[in-house]
Amino acid sequence: MLRRLREPAPPRPEQCGLCGRDLPPGHRHLVDVEERALACTCTACALLFQQQGAAGGRYRTVPDRYLADSDGAPDERVWSVLGVPVGTVFLLRNAVLDRLLAFYPGPAGATESEVDEEAWQRALGGNRLAAALEPDVEALLLRRTEGRVDCFLVPVDVCYELVGRLRRCWHGFDGGAEARSELDLFFGRLADRAAPLPTAVTA
């Protein structure tokens, strides 16, 4: 007698890293600033840790703002001053380590490099997006293509989403055509979503 094949069980939804509640797609994230890690979170926990100093400042909710500054976009000098070896980089300030960090997406994930404060000031000291950046939870995401530089202030989890996407499609030394197409689509969506940087903006 033939056994009836079982249908695979549906995948369990992701759960909030703090309260254990099931999470919908598109949920929020927290940054554990001491462990330098992202945690999935429900809306209630995300709102709780938006309060300044909640949990002694260990957890911070990742904001959801996307900003662009068409009048003050950085130029290719950023690459030479910071010594960026690839065409796409995201930059953030780690408050616990008191360091500026650069991350380069690639086939093995994101390669981390410390940025000298003096070099940061020479490259981005007058940049309004860099001045608006919130430590730990936001990043500057930059891409250089044929003399053009795209730059957005984004939630830090968006940068790791890009890293994951590129890992899945990366081929060869420079990523290949599929990775370039993914970057085109990703930065196109950022351009559609990003709001203009207000005249007066604070981190």
Side-chain angles (χ1 to χ4, degrees):
M1 184 170 133
L2 294 175
R3 288 185 179 177
R4 190 172 181 181
L5 295 177
R6 287 185 182 176
E7 294 184 5
R12 286 179 58 85
E14 291 186 271
Q15 295 180 319
C16 177
L18 295 176
C19 71
R21 184 177 301 171
D22 288 349
L23 297 173
H27 53 262
R28 304 288 296 276
H29 292 94
L30 296 176
V31 171
D32 181 335
V33 298
E34 293 182 8
E35 296 294 331
R36 299 178 61 199
L38 284 171
C40 300
T41 186
C42 65
T43 300
C45 290
L47 292 174
L48 175 65
F49 289 100
Q50 282 182 177
Q51 304 300 317
Q52 190 74 23
R58 175 169 179 173
Y59 298 104
R60 297 192 60 199
T61 300
V62 177
D64 58 0
R65 65 175 182 169
Y66 294 72
L67 297 174
D69 184 11
S70 58
D71 295 328
D75 57 30
E76 291 183 283
R77 192 170 60 93
V78 170
W79 269 256
S80 59
V81 173
L82 298 184
V84 177
V86 294
T88 303
V89 60
F90 62 95
L91 306 162
L92 61 86
R93 182 181 292 275
N94 182 283
V96 172
L97 301 176
D98 192 25
R99 293 176 186 169
L100 295 158
L101 301 172
F103 295 85
Y104 314 129
T111 301
E112 177 182 322
S113 175
E114 190 171 341
V115 176
D116 178 72
E117 181 75 44
E118 181 182 351
W120 174 278
Q121 290 300 323
R122 285 192 287 123
L124 293 161
N127 184 272
R128 295 200 307 138
L129 285 177
L133 197 63
E134 286 196 42
D136 301 310
V137 293
E138 292 182 325
L140 286 187
L141 179 56
L142 298 95
R143 185 190 184 199
R144 178 179 65 176
T145 52
E146 299 178 356
R148 171 179 171 175
V149 174
D150 294 308
C151 177
F152 300 96
L153 185 153
V154 298
V156 70
D157 52 4
V158 168
C159 298
Y160 289 104
E161 177 191 346
L162 175 60
V163 170
R165 288 175 177 272
L166 291 178
R167 286 188 68 179
R168 290 193 292 270
C169 65
W170 194 280
H171 299 287
F173 177 75
D174 64 352
E178 191 176 351
R180 289 191 293 273
S181 177
E182 181 63 49
L183 282 166
D184 290 341
L185 291 170
F186 198 88
F187 274 81
R189 289 193 294 269
L190 290 182
D192 291 339
R193 182 165 185 175
L197 183 69
T199 303
V201 62
T202 57

